[in-house]
Amino acid sequence: MARNLKSNPDWIRPLVHELHPYTPGEQPKVKGLTKLNTNENPYPPSPSVLKALRGSVDERLRLYPNPTAQPLRQRIAKLHDVEENQITVGNGSDELLGLATRAFVEPWQGKRAGRVREKSLVQYWTPSYSLYPVLTDIQGAIRHEVPLNPDFSMPSLRQLKKEQQWNFDAALSFVTTPNAPTGRGYSTRELLALCRAQNGIVILDEAYADFAEQNAMELASTLSNVLVSRTFSKSYSLCFQRVGYFVGHPDLIHAIDCIRDSYNVNGMGQIAALQTLRSLSYYRSNFQRIKKCRNQTAQELEGLGFNVLPSQANFLFVKPPLAPASEWFNGLRRQKILVRWFTTGQFNDRIRISIGSNQEMKKCMSAIRLLKDRFES
Ligand SMILES: Cc1ncc(COP(=O)(O)O)c(C=O)c1O
C-alpha cells in the first residue's frame, strides 16, 4: 500500500539523507549453524537470572520500570567501589556511546559560523569499533581517525606528540580497550598517560574487559574527563536484554542523564542485570573457560599457519594462510561455521573468530583443517 504513496525527500534532514546505517553482524536463522561472528557468549545466563526473568512476567508488565535503574546502579556502584551518582545505565552500551556523542560534541557548522573545530571532533583509532564513525556522522560532527601502529599497538604519548596526528583537544575520543576487532589489550599505564594528556572527554570502551588481564576502571574515578563503558552483553551473556553502563565523574553522568529517555532501560533488562551481579561466581568461571579456550585456539591456529594477533578479548583476529580471507569465510560458511569478515577497508585480509564453547571450537577447528587441506591440494 505505502508504495503507492508519495513521500517528500525534503521532509528528511539533508544530513540524514547522507547517512549509512551501522552494519551489525548477521543473525541468520540457519539450523545447526555455529555462530562465531558477533562475540556473543556461548554460555547461557546463570540459572538464577533465567529464573528471575521468568518470575518477572506478571502483572508488573503494565507498570513503567524504575526510570534511573536505581537498584541496578547501586549494585554496579558496589561492584566498582564508586558512588551511585557516578553511574548511568543504557539500553546497551551502544545507546550510551550515542548519547555521549550528543552530549559532548557540537555539530560542525563550519569555520564561518565562528566555531572551534576541535569542539566537533570525534577521535578514535583505526581499526576500532565501527560504530564510532556512524555516531559521528549522525551528530554531524567531524571524524578524526588515527591509525594504530602496524602491529595494532597504541603509539606512545611521545610518538603521538611528535607526529601530531592525535588531537589532544578533540571534544571526544573513543578508545576500545581491549580493542575490537584486533583483541589487543592496552595497559592501564598507557591509557592513563593518554587520558591525562587529553583536554576533551575520553571514553574507554571496555566491552571486553572481563576477558583481559587488566582494565582501566580506576581512571573513571581518578580523572574527571574519563568515562568507562561496560556492557552486560558479552561477558554476562545478556545481548538480548540490552544493558550497558558508564562509570565516571558525576557531572558527565548528569549530562548524559539530561538527554537520555527516562525509561531507556526496560524492566526485564534491569531485573536480569541485577540478578547477574548477584551470581558473579558463575560468570567468572565462564570467563576462565573462554580465556582458556581462546588461548588454545590461538595456539592451534598458529600451528596451522595462521597469523594470530594476541587477544585479550573473546575473539581472535587472524590472517589465514594459502587463500584470501574471503575464501576462508565462504568455505567455513559452507560448513555452517559463521565467522566475521570485514569486507571493506585495509583489514579485509583477516577474519574475526568469536570464541564459542569448547564443543563449538572443536567443530570450527575441524572445518578449518578440512579447508586447509582443500586449499593445499
Ligand atoms: C567495542 C564494543 N563496544 C560496545 C559494543 C556494544 O555493546 P552493547 O551490546 O552493550 O550495545 C560492542 C558490541 O559489539 C563492541 O564491540
Side-chain angles (χ1 to χ4, degrees):
M1 276 297 197
R3 243 185 288 140
N4 301 328
L5 295 174
K6 264 209 159 143
S7 87
N8 182 345
D10 287 348
W11 291 336
I12 295 165
R13 292 172 58 209
L15 178 142
V16 178
H17 273 301
E18 299 294 313
L19 293 177
H20 299 283
Y22 175 71
T23 318
E26 263 183 277
Q27 297 290 359
K29 296 275 169 285
V30 178
K31 231 179 154 193
L33 185 82
T34 301
K35 193 171 173 303
L36 305 175
N37 68 328
T38 44
N39 304 338
E40 287 144 325
N41 197 307
Y43 301 108
S46 85
S48 72
V49 168
L50 295 177
K51 190 170 164 210
L53 275 174
R54 277 190 213 106
S56 71
V57 184
D58 57 25
E59 65 99 26
R60 273 176 295 173
L61 291 184
R62 74 190 168 80
L63 301 173
Y64 282 107
N66 188 311
T68 62
Q70 199 192 13
L72 175 58
R73 281 175 37 249
Q74 282 171 339
R75 192 81 193 197
I76 295 170
K78 200 167 145 207
L79 176 71
H80 297 302
D81 197 19
V82 297
E83 302 295 324
E84 217 180 295
N85 64 359
Q86 287 183 260
I87 290 159
T88 190
V89 185
N91 183 33
S93 56
D94 277 351
E95 185 203 24
L96 294 172
L97 302 175
L99 287 172
T101 312
R102 280 161 58 197
F104 305 128
V105 184
E106 288 283 0
W108 177 238
Q109 290 171 335
K111 268 203 181 120
R112 264 177 289 145
R115 297 296 171 96
V116 178
R117 194 169 177 273
E118 274 72 16
K119 292 273 174 214
S120 300
L121 226 54
V122 179
Q123 174 167 252
Y124 44 87
W125 300 110
T126 51
S128 66
Y129 187 27
S130 51
L131 182 68
Y132 308 146
V134 176
L135 297 178
T136 311
D137 292 351
I138 292 171
Q139 182 64 359
I142 305 168
R143 299 179 186 188
H144 189 69
E145 304 183 342
V146 182
L148 288 163
N149 286 329
D151 67 352
F152 303 108
S153 62
M154 210 158 54
S156 68
L157 196 56
R158 195 177 330 149
Q159 207 179 332
L160 289 177
K161 285 185 173 163
K162 205 168 102 198
E163 288 167 5
Q164 297 185 343
Q165 233 181 322
W166 184 263
N167 192 312
F168 289 94
D169 294 315
L172 178 61
S173 304
F174 287 113
V175 179
T176 321
T177 172
N179 188 286
T182 69
R184 187 140 202 153
Y186 307 125
S187 73
T188 307
R189 199 146 55 100
E190 60 188 326
L191 291 169
L192 168 67
L194 183 74
C195 295
R196 209 192 251 151
Q198 202 64 29
N199 296 314
I201 308 279
V202 184
I203 293 184
L204 300 177
D205 182 347
E206 292 201 330
Y208 302 99
D210 289 309
F211 306 107
E213 295 306 315
Q214 285 192 31
N215 67 71
M217 183 54 85
E218 67 189 69
L219 303 189
S221 296
T222 52
L223 294 176
S224 57
N225 63 334
V226 171
L227 284 166
V228 173
S229 174
R230 290 280 181 99
T231 174
F232 282 85
S233 294
K234 317 289 179 176
S235 33
Y236 297 122
S237 308
L238 272 188
C239 290
F240 198 75
Q241 288 291 342
R242 314 297 304 125
V243 188
Y245 60 94
F246 271 172
V247 185
H249 191 282
D251 290 352
L252 303 187
I253 296 297
H254 178 70
I256 300 287
D257 280 340
C258 285
I259 60 168
R260 72 171 174 82
D261 178 68
S262 1
Y263 302 109
N264 62 331
V265 186
N266 73 81
M268 288 196 188
Q270 294 187 33
I271 287 171
L274 186 57
Q275 191 55 42
T276 295
L277 297 182
R278 295 185 181 127
S279 342
L280 282 178
S281 58
Y282 168 87
Y283 293 96
R284 286 185 177 138
S285 73
N286 285 347
F287 306 159
Q288 294 311 325
R289 282 155 93 180
I290 291 169
K291 286 197 286 187
K292 192 169 164 206
C293 183
R294 172 193 72 201
N295 297 345
Q296 272 170 1
T297 309
Q299 257 183 11
E300 285 178 44
L301 287 170
E302 268 169 358
L304 293 174
F306 282 66
N307 174 294
V308 183
L309 291 180
S311 173
Q312 294 276 301
N314 64 340
F315 53 83
L316 295 167
F317 198 45
V318 302
K319 194 192 281 187
L322 302 167
S326 56
E327 288 185 31
W328 279 91
F329 171 80
N330 289 322
L332 287 173
R333 205 189 163 109
R334 278 194 291 274
Q335 298 183 69
K336 289 201 173 177
I337 309 285
L338 182 60
V339 297
R340 188 96 190 247
W341 174 52
F342 298 91
T343 47
T344 53
Q346 66 200 105
F347 311 104
N348 63 3
D349 57 348
R350 289 183 175 267
I351 52 175
R352 194 191 64 191
I353 307 174
S354 305
I355 301 301
S357 64
N358 293 341
Q359 210 184 351
E360 285 175 319
M361 295 321 286
K362 257 191 203 144
K363 264 196 206 167
C364 173
M365 288 310 298
S366 322
I368 285 176
R369 282 197 193 90
L370 203 76
L371 207 51
K372 183 172 178 253
D373 287 346
R374 238 180 260 160
F375 287 138
E376 272 170 341
S377 60

